Amino acid sequence: MDFTFSKKMNQPLHELTSDDLIVLFEWLSHNEEKEEVTFSDLSELIVLDKIQGLLEKAMVEPFKTNYGEVLLESRTRIKNEFEEKMGIETWLHKLLKNESAEKNK
């Protein structure tokens, strides 16, 4: 089945930065074998695996010797930009706090 997307639908994908892709790659790599990650359907896992494969082929950063530093800088820039626009009391912050509290029980 083929779908036709409007320009508005495709535009957000073009707005992903290299920082976004680095953080996404790390999350996918970190969670690929964890049993804690929940999926509603196998198709979700398949799509994420495809995205990880595409990122592995396209990116050089994860294979650099200073990848940890690159990742930390990307994470910091993303958080700073988000918090400048949205503040520090968003639903995302609350979600992360709730997940941290659950892990510490």
Side-chain angles (χ1 to χ4, degrees), residues 12-49:
L13 297 177
H14 297 291
E15 293 178 7
L16 290 175
T17 66
S18 60
D19 287 336
D20 296 333
L21 295 175
I22 289 168
V23 170
L24 176 59
F25 175 82
E26 181 63 23
W27 185 87
L28 290 169
S29 298
H30 180 76
N31 287 291
E32 73 180 333
E33 295 183 16
K34 282 188 165 186
E35 293 180 21
E36 301 142 22
V37 179
T38 304
F39 297 95
S40 300
D41 189 82
L42 178 62
S43 63
E44 297 166 354
L45 183 58
I46 292 168
V47 170
L48 290 174
D49 186 60

Side-chain angles (χ1 to χ4, degrees), residues 55-69:
L55 291 173
E56 282 179 357
K57 290 176 187 175
M59 296 177 68
V60 296
E61 292 86 357
F63 307 104
K64 290 184 174 181
T65 56
N66 67 337
Y67 176 63
E69 184 179 320

